[in-house]
Amino acid sequence: MEALHDFELVRAATLDDVLKARAAHPQSALVGGGTDLMVNIRRGIVTPPVLIDVTQVGELQAVNADEGALEIGASVTLNTLAQDDAMRRHYPVVAEAAHAIAGPTQRNMGTVGGNLCLDTRCIFYNQSEWWRSANNHCLKTTGDTCHVAPKSHGVCFATYSGDLAPALLVLGAEVDIASPSGTRTIPLNDLYIGYARHDDAVEGDGKNFLSLEAGEIVTAVRAANTSGLTSAYDKIRIRRSIEYPVAGVAVALLRDGDALVDLRVAVTGTNPRPVLLEGTAELCGGPLNDDVLQGLDALARDQIMPMKTTFTPGHYRRRVASVLAQRLVTRLYAE
Amino acid sequence: MAQLLELTLNGRPRVDAVPDNMLLLDYLRESVGLTGTKTGCDGGECGACTVLIDDVPLLSCLTLAASVNGRRVDTVESLGENGELSAVQRGFHEKLGSQCGYCTPGFIMASVGLLRRNPAPSDDEIQEALGSNICRCTGYVKIIEAVKFAAQLNAEGTAP
């Protein structure tokens, strides 16, 4: 690993401290657990002149979950979330996703805000300075070519692999965003702008994948409960611990008698954004059968576009995501 | 830039001026001279640098020294009293949970963190709690035996 570059560390005690530091230093980076950012800094991938430590900010530490709604502050650690009894009871998908991240020690450090805003990953990006310079760098840093897709015409294909986002997307979550000029709340799905489809108009990509404006930070994520909704998260990874997902899938569904009345499926680890599958409502209305599962497979295969950004081939990640989704839907329907 | 760092290190209060960009791992090893904490992968993937901060296992290779201001930091040097091994150290020694020994301080601190919050863990809970630590020698079976033995020693009160 490289020596750390010179930077200033701001130890923020209040949200006001964070926003003031953010306003004074637009090129700053927030550091929570540092489990992703510090690695990228040590590899010389990013060199923010100012780091703002948000782990001691009281306003960002809330975890509230009950039958009605959930609210989670951005500095809550992943283990706190995974072990929260009310979260496990009312929103198992969120607790399961938090529990599936990295390993136990990383989860003691990593935060909800950090996982939601997790930098996209690629085998040509998450490498040492020496490795990247030997390869003439890539689009996501200072290079001019995406090595995953050399004819991508300036589009970066780095993959979003946060585990919490899909879990919260299937609950219809919103994020609170704060900046020196005020606060706003947007649907979590709108936080991510990396394109989901090759043929969509390109708003963002693997390099520019969050809709945050300069100076804005995510302060909390919230969701209302849907009565009777069951939910779960599962992911495939190369090892059981300390590993990013090959593909991760969150499912929430509502069953009335034999009829499937609501189905929401979100996938991570495959595209430059977490993908909330479109068209699942058309699979609802009747009992779960092979037609529904085949329909789900078709939606997944159509909307998930893994490129060769990991050591696992893209076509494998697409199949795995679809299989995971079908397994989870089958299991939740039977519960 | 440097900042004042006030912490309780292995039970003793301590004040140092540390550069903003100094890692806790380098502070412990280079500034304080406690070399029990090991530099392994140096990127948060192996657990060799695990220390306890307020009894919670964290990776010192990804933690900035200045950010543990006001906290309690325990390294492997905090264990044992008057030359007598602590329960977890005895467990790793007697049950052969350590071979080349490089990962051992990290495993020991992760195990101490586990036993402080769960004095009688099951095999599954031990596996889960040590999931962030990698050992290339033992195959982990002996390490799990070591932690169980340490839990037993703690229960009997036969080790410091």
Side-chain angles (χ1 to χ4, degrees):
Chain A
M1 287 280 176
E2 314 287 317
L4 294 182
H5 70 282
D6 274 330
F7 55 77
E8 182 190 336
L9 177 69
V10 176
R11 299 186 284 200
T14 65
L15 183 56
D16 196 45
D17 291 348
V18 178
L19 295 175
K20 278 186 180 146
R22 199 84 170 119
H25 308 284
Q27 300 301 312
S28 61
L30 301 189
V31 57
T35 48
D36 190 57
L37 178 68
M38 292 308 294
V39 177
N40 285 355
I41 288 177
R42 299 203 66 185
R43 285 175 162 159
I45 293 174
V46 290
T47 53
V50 175
L51 293 191
I52 306 169
D53 179 354
V54 295
T55 54
Q56 304 303 311
V57 177
E59 294 108 306
L60 303 178
Q61 308 282 0
V63 188
N64 297 310
D66 59 28
E67 280 168 41
L70 70 81
E71 180 179 0
I72 313 163
S75 288
V76 171
T77 67
L78 301 170
N79 256 352
T80 303
L81 188 58
Q83 291 163 0
D84 188 85
D85 286 336
M87 196 66 67
R88 287 163 64 165
R89 187 159 62 247
H90 299 297
Y91 308 94
V93 67
V94 175
E96 287 169 20
H99 185 75
I101 296 164
T105 309
Q106 287 88 355
R107 288 197 294 277
N108 286 333
M109 307 171 72
T111 59
V112 170
N115 195 261
L116 287 176
C117 300
L118 186 72
D119 196 7
T120 52
R121 302 181 60 79
C122 179
I123 40 172
F124 293 96
Y125 175 68
N126 300 97
Q127 299 287 355
S128 66
E129 171 69 24
W130 175 82
W131 195 103
R132 286 179 290 112
S133 65
N135 210 25
N136 231 354
H137 297 280
C138 79
L139 260 186
K140 192 161 158 67
T141 55
T142 53
D144 54 11
T145 305
C146 172
H147 301 301
V148 168
K151 293 180 183 168
S152 73
H153 302 294
V155 174
C156 165
F157 282 89
T159 302
Y160 180 82
S161 48
D163 290 283
L164 286 180
L168 289 158
L169 282 174
V170 298
L171 299 178
E174 297 179 319
V175 281
D176 292 341
I177 293 171
S179 71
S181 55
T183 58
R184 66 186 177 115
T185 299
I186 60 169
L188 178 61
N189 208 25
D190 293 347
L191 178 64
Y192 303 104
I193 54 171
Y195 64 98
R197 299 282 301 265
H198 289 256
D199 49 2
D200 275 354
V202 172
E203 189 185 357
D205 62 0
K207 182 172 182 173
N208 178 28
F209 64 99
L210 293 175
S211 62
L212 295 178
E213 304 286 339
E216 285 190 327
I217 67 163
V218 170
T219 55
V221 59
R222 292 183 288 114
N225 200 1
T226 306
S227 183
L229 197 73
T230 55
S231 64
Y233 183 79
D234 200 4
K235 78 178 191 185
I236 296 285
R237 44 185 166 172
I238 302 298
R239 310 177 283 199
R240 247 172 67 195
S241 190
I242 335 176
E243 195 63 89
Y244 288 92
V246 167
V249 179
V251 172
L253 66 78
L254 191 59
R255 182 179 163 171
D256 184 12
D258 276 345
L260 192 60
V261 293
D262 194 356
L263 176 63
R264 310 168 195 171
V265 179
V267 182
T268 189
T270 55
N271 292 46
R273 60 171 297 141
V275 181
L276 181 62
L277 291 185
E278 291 172 12
T280 50
E282 282 135 50
L283 302 174
C284 297
L288 182 67
N289 54 32
D290 284 348
D291 288 346
V292 172
L293 292 177
Q294 276 166 25
L296 179 59
D297 182 52
L299 293 179
R301 282 169 185 261
D302 182 41
Q303 294 172 43
I304 297 169
M305 296 280 173
M307 300 286 284
K308 186 82 178 77
T309 54
T310 70
F311 291 105
T312 344
H315 64 86
Y316 175 73
R317 283 149 65 208
R318 184 186 293 182
R319 282 178 66 176
V320 156
S322 172
V323 168
L324 273 182
Q326 293 175 59
R327 276 187 200 161
L328 282 173
V329 169
T330 306
R331 194 186 96 202
L332 288 173
Y333 180 82
E335 271 177 7
Chain B
M1 287 281 286
Q3 310 219 14
L4 208 57
L5 168 62
E6 295 186 50
L7 77 169
T8 306
L9 179 57
N10 295 342
R12 290 182 199 159
R14 198 184 158 100
V15 183
D16 279 299
V18 294
D20 286 27
N21 66 346
M22 179 175 253
L23 293 163
L24 180 59
L25 175 64
D26 294 331
Y27 168 74
L28 292 171
R29 291 181 57 87
E30 311 294 335
S31 296
V32 186
L34 294 176
T35 53
T37 306
K38 297 292 181 252
T39 308
C41 71
D42 223 8
E45 296 178 48
C46 80
C49 67
T50 305
V51 298
L52 298 184
I53 299 180
D54 295 333
D55 287 333
V56 176
L58 296 180
L59 300 168
S60 60
C61 75
L62 297 181
T63 302
L64 291 170
S67 71
V68 301
N69 191 42
R71 318 278 291 273
R72 192 159 44 82
V73 179
D74 291 314
T75 69
V76 71
E77 286 92 346
S78 70
L79 305 176
E81 282 171 23
N82 305 320
E84 200 180 337
L85 296 180
S86 76
V88 175
Q89 287 173 313
R90 257 186 75 188
F92 274 75
H93 178 62
E94 294 183 21
K95 295 294 170 184
L96 307 178
S98 176
Q99 286 184 22
C100 88
Y102 200 84
C103 70
T104 308
F107 266 101
I108 286 182
M109 294 319 285
S111 304
V112 170
L114 167 67
L115 295 181
R116 282 187 188 169
R117 70 171 191 278
N118 180 358
S122 66
D123 283 20
D124 282 350
E125 286 168 335
I126 296 170
Q127 270 196 37
E128 161 68 28
L130 300 182
S132 289
N133 297 72
I134 289 177
C135 171
R136 301 281 81 151
C137 303
T138 61
Y140 304 103
V141 173
K142 295 288 181 187
I143 289 178
I144 292 168
E145 283 177 20
V147 177
K148 280 163 71 176
F149 184 64
Q152 193 187 324
L153 289 176
N154 277 336
E156 293 165 0
T158 48

